[in-house]
Amino acid sequence: MNFNKYDNVLLEATDGIGTLTINRPKVLNALNSATLQDIGDALREVESHPDEIKVLIITGSGTKSFVAGADITEMRSMNTMQALALSKLAHKSFGEIEDLPQFTIAAVNGYALGGGCELASSCDMRIGSAKTKFGQPEVGLGTIPGFGGTQRLTRLVGRGKAKEMIATSTMISADEAYRIGLLDELVEPEELMNKAHEIAKQVMKNGMIAVALAKYSVDRGADLPLDVAVDMESQLFAETFATQDQTEGMNAFVEKRDSKFTGK
């Protein structure tokens, strides 16, 4: 499958697993406006190719950094309206990660600071290693996280820990990130991408319509009152019974054989 070429990211796919690599290694993959635009464009391409990309891994180029933050050289001269536009662009791109029907895995291969932490927080799960460092250093620059850090980080680790990370602007280790739930898996550095592919393959064994609906239910239900959320879950559960995958999955279970899902 040939994907579009982008200046700041690489999009590849093999055997149903897509990899989106932030590719600005000379600046530790810092996010500028052009990179955020490329991310959004690539994500729309991913969404339009569900057969070629069933699971998407997001990582950074090189061995030092996932994404070291937003590009300060671009931001430092911005006025209020330009800063607002940058934040809105980041929210649009990161929101598209959450809204993808495909399952997303952040393979956090180094520094995930500022916008990098916010990018990783947008994914369905995060895998790290001893090289992984998280942080939201924005208050040390006289501003606040503007790419979702005050919101998604809070939902992942709780108000107190999010406020501590943001207000102290200190980096935390991979062990601490795993302890507080910011990392879901912690592996040796050389095993990072192998683990991401292992999890992707586990996801792909299942009905992809069901995976997409389950992801949607978790994400949307988390911010709803419980009675409204469980009603939404019931509706989505019922919808799966109109799919061929549900019929195949349950027949395969009863017949004691492996399921052959088609995504229909």
Side-chain angles (χ1 to χ4, degrees), residues 212-227:
L213 290 176
K215 168 179 169 170
Y216 179 91
S217 187
V218 170
D219 286 342
R220 296 300 182 270
D223 298 324
L224 295 173
L226 182 59
D227 58 338

Side-chain angles (χ1 to χ4, degrees), residues 17-59:
I17 302 174
T19 303
L20 179 62
T21 305
I22 313 304
N23 189 35
R24 302 184 72 212
K26 291 182 179 179
V27 291
L28 300 180
N29 305 319
L31 300 174
N32 59 7
S33 299
T35 305
L36 290 168
Q37 186 63 57
D38 281 353
I39 291 171
D41 291 343
L43 290 169
R44 287 185 286 277
E45 194 170 8
V46 169
E47 185 170 10
S48 68
H49 291 90
D51 294 331
E52 291 81 9
I53 299 179
K54 295 178 171 26
V55 177
L56 180 67
I57 298 169
I58 300 179
T59 194

Side-chain angles (χ1 to χ4, degrees), residues 15 18 64 71-72 80-81 89 106 110 112 136 141 159 162 171 174 229 251:
D15 298 329
K64 292 183 178 180
D71 194 329
I72 307 302
T80 302
M81 294 308 297
L89 177 60
Q136 296 285 172
L141 300 170
R159 291 188 184 187
M171 286 190 292
N251 284 343

